[in-house]
Amino acid sequence: MCDGVTRNVVSLHLRPDGLYSLQSKELSHSLGEVRHLKYLDLSFNYFQESQIPEFIGSLKELTYLNLSYSAFSGIIPHHIGNLSNLKILDLSSDKYSKRLIAHDMNWISGLSSLEHIDLSNVNLNGVKNLDIVLYKIPSLLQLRLKNCNLTMTHIFHTPHKFTTLSNLQYIDLSNNKLMGPIPTFPMKLTELDLSHNKLTGPIPIFIGKLTKLDLSYNHLNGSIPESFGRSRLLQVLNVAHNKLTGPIPTFSGNLTKLDLSYNHLNGSIPESFGRLVSLRSFSVSSNSLSGTIPISIGQLSKLHSFDVSHNSLEGVVYEAHFSNLSMLKHLNAASNTKLTFNVSLEWLPPFQLISVDLTSCKITNGFPQWLRNQIKLISLVLSNATISGPLPTWLRKMPIIPFINLSHNSLSGPLTNLPIGGTYDGEELRGLFLQNNLFNESIPTELCNRTDLEYLNLSWNRLTGKIPNCLQNLQNLKVMMLSSNRLSGSIPSFIQMLPLVLLNLNDNNFSGEFPKGLLDFSELGILDLGNNALCGKIPEWIPGTELVIFRLHGNNFTGGIPRSLCKNLKLQILDVAHNNFIGNIPHCLGELFNKAHSLDDYGPESSEETLLQVLNGIPLEFTKTLQFFINMDLSSNKLVGEIPVELTALQELVGLNLSNNHLGGGIPDNIGNMTALSSLDLSGNKLNGSIPSSIAALTFLSHLNLSNNNLSGQIPTGNQLQTLIDPSIYAGNKDLCGAPLHLCGPPFPNNYSNHEKPAFTLKNKYEVAGEPNKVWFYVDIMFGFATGFWGVIVLLMLKKQWRHKLFMFAEGIMYKIHVAVVVRVNKMKRGREAL
């Protein structure tokens, strides 16, 4: 743009408005010749991480300079300080690109006319004089320093000076490293953003002229000041994700957005909220609120978003709660288990929702009929909402709803009543979650039309038949969960062509061999084919490296355990128990299970990946804690050889089950290195030798089973082993001794074998002597008893070793009686449980 009088170029707008942008490693020096330039916008171009050219400092008539999001990097040149007429300076960038850096901020003091400065995502961590320099620019109105690695020392080294910036109206210090209490700010300030820091202490009671205040994602405590509720200027208040307590204050004024979520607030939602006629967004989710939802909420005609989820609200929600909410787009009352939605079957709401989540609320009168006019829905979540009965026929006539979660209800079919007759082209999450219902039909082929689906969960129903071949059309599918149904047939070969990260077909009636090529995908992280009738060998070559869970439990697989499994260094659950695997345990398995990995990449929370694992001898279901669980179960196969000593390097392993195989040799001496073990089962093998003393170092061990082996010697003692007193732990090892079995060693000294003992009786003695006098007979008995009794007593007093062994013999007899009684009682209990 040129000046109308002088014809000089005074303005350059080079911000791209389409697909094309400037791309160069250097900004042309000829630009420095445009001496009369006042306005320069090069934002959102791509200068390939080059430095800001120094000649920019020669454009001394500039009042506006915008180089934001243009991929500049390196140190900000101090020549920019020559632009004394500059009013607006924007050097911000996104947090993912290479960042600009500043070590010395003295150049800012030359910008005497500066009103707006944005250095967001510039690395200012090494700056020593930022606070001093800023105080020299009294004209400053807006200061944006988001994500600059700033600490309190950078900005508030001399706190009282900050108030000298009397004209400052807007401050953004979010996403920094500010710690400690909230400092004092200029009184004219209207907008303040301190979110995503580590601020502590209470919120100051003064509110001044603030219209927008964001203190979210800090560590603030105490209550929300009553002065906030009285302010007539405050429009936006966000204190979410702190540690605030106490009741919600009474708000009156012009609030448009109020976010109090993720705190520890208690009490009820004030009835006065109905007077906040300008309110557009209201969130108090994840607190400890109780009481009912005020009917006055229904008067908020401008309300767009209403979120009271994850509290302890109760009572009944009627049509009156929504009477004037014609602008409502988002409704979330999830996880208020005592809250009931009771509206008439004829009611049609005045709003058009985009998303609704009533998880764990109580919905009466079957499937909500009021949804039949909600044609703009993108997300419908009614999980665990006590809904029963069939899906309504009007549902199939609705537009495609990208995300549907109707899980954990008592819904029945037909599934063709779902709106699944097409695809959705938007950016939103696309999933269908119907697990834990009463659907008892085959998977409808109409589902194959939802080619946009990313997540599919039909687990825990009564589905029958085969997996339709047309599901191969779902080329965007990442998660397929069909577990705990009555599906049959072979696993179709097309599954290997889908971009799956999670496949769960557990607990069905699938038969046939392991699907060829299924493990060729490098992205597959969770595979559960357990509890079916699959057979054959697992492919020797498993190229995937992303497996986190590999479960084939309860099938008829044969052959050896592939050594290529060891390439999957992220593996944290390996369960191939109850099959017919043969051969040795691969030694390389000792290289796995280094640490637990996050399962967030394998589906949203609605996927609810549930895994049945035997831990502490009890079948347990793991859902939310699954990502912290590391387990190896190779039990009930036909494995031979010794336990690889390499397994003892698995220090993160929680459960190890090698029971009911044909393993021999000894228990590895350094088994005590497996410090995280909670459950260890080596029973039903042919292990021999002694139990290593290092086993006493397993301080987390709560379940141990070494029964039915050929172990010998004394049972180690100490630490956690002292609590494992069930004798059945060691039963079936006839040469084991020590607590809780019988004591070790011979019961008493014995210098004769049985056949060497002389057969000598009192009768023989008197027959030889021919003594007829019975008096002498009784005298002799009494004398002999006294001599023998005191002889033994004196001998035991003099012989400490004999005395010790006699008591050991008596204690051993008592232990044998105790073990016999306990084993008999346990057998009787198991017999009753089996009945």
Side-chain angles (χ1 to χ4, degrees):
M1 181 181 293
C2 298
D3 185 278
V5 178
T6 64
R7 311 303 297 172
N8 293 322
V9 177
V10 294
S11 178
L12 282 178
H13 299 259
L14 299 178
R15 179 174 181 167
D17 56 358
L19 298 176
Y20 302 101
S21 63
L22 298 176
Q23 296 192 27
S24 174
K25 286 189 176 180
E26 273 188 28
L27 193 60
S28 175
H29 284 72
S30 61
L31 188 61
E33 302 300 323
V34 189
R35 299 294 183 180
H36 301 284
L37 201 61
K38 296 182 178 180
Y39 186 104
L40 178 58
D41 187 351
L42 297 174
S43 60
F44 291 92
N45 286 287
Y46 184 61
F47 292 105
Q48 303 179 22
E49 299 181 351
S50 60
Q51 287 191 317
I52 297 174
E54 293 183 1
F55 70 79
I56 291 287
S58 65
L59 303 175
K60 295 186 178 181
E61 294 190 24
L62 274 180
T63 60
Y64 180 96
L65 176 60
N66 190 345
L67 305 181
S68 64
Y69 296 90
S70 293
F72 284 113
S73 66
I75 297 175
I76 299 174
H78 67 273
H79 302 82
I80 290 181
N82 298 333
L83 307 178
S84 58
N85 292 311
L86 200 64
K87 293 184 177 181
I88 297 176
L89 173 63
D90 191 345
L91 303 180
S92 61
S93 63
D94 64 77
K95 61 181 179 181
Y96 303 106
S97 59
K98 194 172 182 180
R99 303 168 72 173
L100 287 167
I101 303 172
H103 295 306
D104 188 340
M105 298 295 289
N106 277 322
W107 55 268
I108 289 184
S109 60
L111 307 179
S112 56
S113 302
L114 195 65
E115 295 179 356
H116 304 262
I117 183 170
D118 191 344
L119 301 180
S120 295
N121 292 300
V122 175
N123 189 350
L124 302 179
N125 186 53
V127 171
K128 303 296 185 183
N129 54 350
L130 178 61
D131 60 333
I132 298 175
V133 173
L134 284 176
Y135 302 147
K136 297 179 180 179
I137 313 176
S139 59
L140 200 61
L141 300 177
Q142 291 194 10
L143 175 64
R144 299 174 187 264
L145 300 176
K146 177 181 180 179
N147 194 32
C148 294
N149 292 326
L150 295 173
T151 65
M152 282 291 192
T153 305
H154 290 109
I155 297 292
F156 304 104
H157 184 63
T158 50
H160 63 283
K161 284 191 176 181
F162 207 95
T163 59
T164 62
L165 296 175
S166 57
N167 293 314
L168 201 59
Q169 298 175 4
Y170 181 101
I171 297 177
D172 184 354
L173 297 176
S174 62
N175 292 83
N176 280 290
K177 300 176 181 178
L178 304 181
M179 302 175 66
I182 298 174
T184 304
F185 289 95
M187 291 300 295
K188 288 185 179 181
L189 201 64
T190 60
E191 298 185 30
L192 175 62
D193 190 345
L194 298 176
S195 62
H196 294 271
N197 282 286
K198 297 180 180 179
L199 298 171
T200 56
I203 300 175
I205 61 173
F206 86 95
I207 191 68
K209 297 182 178 180
L210 282 176
T211 60
K212 294 183 180 179
L213 176 61
D214 192 343
L215 302 175
S216 60
Y217 292 92
N218 280 285
H219 304 298
L220 301 171
N221 54 32
S223 59
I224 300 173
E226 291 288 341
S227 57
F228 285 15
R230 294 191 297 267
S231 173
R232 295 289 179 177
L233 299 176
L234 192 62
Q235 297 176 15
V236 175
L237 175 61
N238 189 348
V239 292
H241 292 270
N242 279 285
K243 300 176 181 179
L244 300 174
T245 57
I248 299 175
T250 299
F251 284 92
S252 59
N254 298 309
L255 272 177
T256 60
K257 179 182 178 180
L258 179 62
D259 192 345
L260 311 179
S261 59
Y262 291 91
N263 281 287
H264 306 296
L265 301 175
N266 53 32
S268 59
I269 300 174
E271 186 74 28
S272 59
F273 268 94
R275 298 196 294 267
L276 300 177
V277 294
S278 299
L279 197 63
R280 296 169 58 88
S281 177
F282 175 72
S283 178
V284 290
S285 68
S286 301
N287 279 284
S288 301
L289 300 176
S290 57
T292 61
I293 298 176
I295 291 181
S296 62
I297 293 291
Q299 303 304 313
L300 302 178
S301 58
K302 295 182 180 180
L303 195 65
H304 280 216
S305 178
F306 183 68
D307 188 350
V308 293
S309 61
H310 298 278
N311 281 286
S312 299
L313 298 174
E314 56 190 24
V316 181
V317 176
Y318 301 102
E319 292 98 322
H321 286 86
F322 305 105
S323 56
N324 292 318
L325 303 186
S326 58
M327 304 292 290
L328 192 64
K329 306 296 181 186
H330 305 279
L331 172 61
N332 191 346
S335 299
N336 288 284
T337 57
K338 296 181 180 180
L339 196 62
T340 300
F341 279 74
N342 185 8
V343 296
S344 66
L345 297 177
E346 295 77 23
W347 179 66
L348 289 176
F351 46 72
Q352 282 290 325
L353 292 177
I354 294 176
S355 67
V356 56
D357 189 347
L358 302 180
T359 297
S360 297
C361 295
K362 294 180 175 64
I363 296 178
T364 60
N365 300 324
F367 198 91
Q369 297 295 310
W370 58 269
L371 290 172
R372 64 188 182 273
N373 75 331
Q374 301 298 297
I375 59 175
K376 295 183 179 180
L377 272 176
I378 289 176
S379 176
L380 173 62
V381 182
L382 303 176
S383 175
N384 192 32
T386 66
I387 306 173
S388 60
L391 295 171
T393 55
W394 55 260
L395 191 57
R396 77 172 74 171
K397 299 177 183 178
M398 292 190 67
I400 294 298
I401 302 175
F403 189 89
I404 298 177
N405 184 355
L406 305 177
S407 63
H408 297 276
N409 284 293
S410 298
L411 291 167
S412 57
L415 287 169
T416 51
N417 280 348
L418 288 166
I420 53 177
T423 61
Y424 181 79
D425 297 328
E427 298 289 332
E428 287 75 19
L429 194 66
R430 300 180 293 277
L432 178 60
F433 301 92
L434 303 176
Q435 67 268 26
N436 289 84
N437 276 288
L438 303 176
F439 298 111
N440 59 355
E441 58 200 276
S442 59
I443 299 175
T445 56
E446 286 83 354
L447 185 60
C448 304
N449 296 323
R450 282 295 308 271
T451 55
D452 61 309
L453 269 184
E454 297 176 289
Y455 305 97
L456 176 63
N457 192 341
L458 304 178
S459 300
W460 293 95
N461 280 286
R462 302 171 185 176
L463 300 175
T464 58
K466 298 181 179 181
I467 298 177
N469 285 325
C470 63
L471 285 184
Q472 62 186 306
N473 297 336
L474 308 185
Q475 289 298 309
N476 293 301
L477 198 63
K478 298 177 181 179
V479 171
M480 179 187 288
M481 301 181 66
L482 306 176
S483 64
S484 299
N485 279 289
R486 301 169 184 174
L487 299 171
S488 57
S490 59
I491 298 176
S493 58
F494 72 78
I495 283 187
Q496 64 182 297
M497 305 303 294
L498 301 177
L500 295 172
V501 297
L502 188 160
L503 176 62
N504 188 345
L505 304 179
N506 170 63
D507 193 19
N508 279 285
N509 299 317
F510 291 115
S511 57
E513 295 189 350
F514 192 92
K516 293 182 179 179
L518 182 59
L519 295 174
D520 288 350
F521 292 106
S522 60
E523 298 299 321
L524 189 63
I526 297 177
L527 176 63
D528 190 347
L529 304 180
N531 302 98
N532 282 287
L534 300 170
C535 60
K537 296 182 179 180
I538 306 176
E540 287 294 328
W541 177 243
I542 302 177
T545 58
E546 296 295 319
L547 275 177
V548 176
I549 297 174
F550 185 67
R551 187 173 184 272
L552 305 178
H553 184 108
N555 281 283
N556 299 312
F557 289 114
T558 57
I561 298 174
R563 286 172 171 76
S564 55
L565 266 177
C566 302
K567 295 178 180 288
N568 294 273
L569 298 181
K570 292 184 178 181
L571 197 66
Q572 67 186 61
I573 293 180
L574 173 60
D575 185 354
V576 296
H578 293 272
N579 280 282
N580 295 308
F581 288 111
I582 59 174
N584 298 323
I585 299 174
H587 288 229
C588 62
L589 291 181
E591 301 172 5
L592 302 178
F593 310 105
N594 288 326
K595 63 178 182 179
H597 297 273
S598 172
L599 301 181
D600 294 340
D601 296 333
Y602 304 105
E605 186 175 347
S606 303
S607 296
E608 289 183 350
E609 169 61 12
T610 300
L611 192 68
L612 186 68
Q613 289 284 274
V614 176
L615 187 67
N616 300 342
I618 303 172
L620 298 174
E621 278 191 1
F622 291 86
T623 50
K624 296 185 183 299
T625 58
L626 186 58
Q627 61 183 342
F628 307 111
F629 183 66
I630 303 179
N631 187 47
M632 182 192 293
D633 191 345
L634 312 182
S635 64
S636 298
N637 282 287
K638 299 176 182 178
L639 301 174
V640 297
E642 297 186 354
I643 299 174
V645 67
E646 289 83 356
L647 295 187
T648 61
L650 303 177
Q651 296 185 1
E652 301 295 326
L653 200 65
V654 175
L656 176 62
N657 192 344
L658 305 179
S659 65
N660 298 312
N661 280 287
H662 305 298
L663 301 174
I667 300 174
D669 288 337
N670 51 352
I671 196 169
N673 293 344
M674 306 175 75
T675 51
L677 268 186
S678 171
S679 176
L680 175 62
D681 193 341
L682 305 178
S683 63
N685 282 288
K686 300 177 181 179
L687 302 174
N688 54 47
S690 60
I691 301 174
S693 58
S694 69
I695 200 171
L698 302 179
T699 54
F700 291 103
L701 197 63
S702 59
H703 174 78
L704 176 65
N705 193 348
L706 303 179
S707 64
N708 298 310
N709 281 287
N710 298 316
L711 299 171
S712 59
Q714 185 164 353
I715 298 171
T717 59
N719 297 332
Q720 191 71 4
L721 289 182
Q722 299 297 104
T723 66
L724 302 174
I725 59 175
D726 186 353
S728 64
I729 292 173
Y730 308 101
N733 294 279
K734 62 180 181 180
D735 294 324
L736 272 181
C737 61
L741 303 179
H742 60 81
L743 296 179
C744 301
F748 54 83
N750 190 351
N751 295 325
Y752 300 101
S753 61
N754 289 336
H755 65 276
E756 291 175 336
K757 291 181 181 179
F760 189 78
T761 65
L762 289 174
K763 182 179 179 182
N764 291 340
K765 173 182 176 181
Y766 284 101
E767 285 181 352
V768 172
E771 177 59 57
N773 196 333
K774 293 183 179 180
V775 175
W776 290 106
F777 171 73
Y778 292 118
V779 171
D780 200 6
I781 288 177
M782 293 175 64
F783 181 77
F785 173 79
T787 303
F789 175 79
W790 287 107
V792 170
I793 294 299
V794 172
L795 190 62
L796 290 175
M797 292 177 64
L798 296 176
K799 293 285 188 177
K800 181 178 180 182
Q801 182 180 6
W802 286 21
R803 182 169 72 250
H804 178 67
K805 289 187 175 181
L806 177 61
F807 290 130
M808 287 180 65
F809 170 70
E811 191 172 359
I813 293 296
M814 295 301 296
Y815 264 110
K816 287 182 178 180
I817 295 172
H818 172 70
V819 170
V821 171
V822 170
V823 171
R824 182 61 178 170
V825 169
N826 286 339
K827 286 183 178 179
M828 291 173 67
K829 287 182 178 179
R830 293 191 190 102
R832 291 194 187 100
E833 291 173 356
L835 294 175

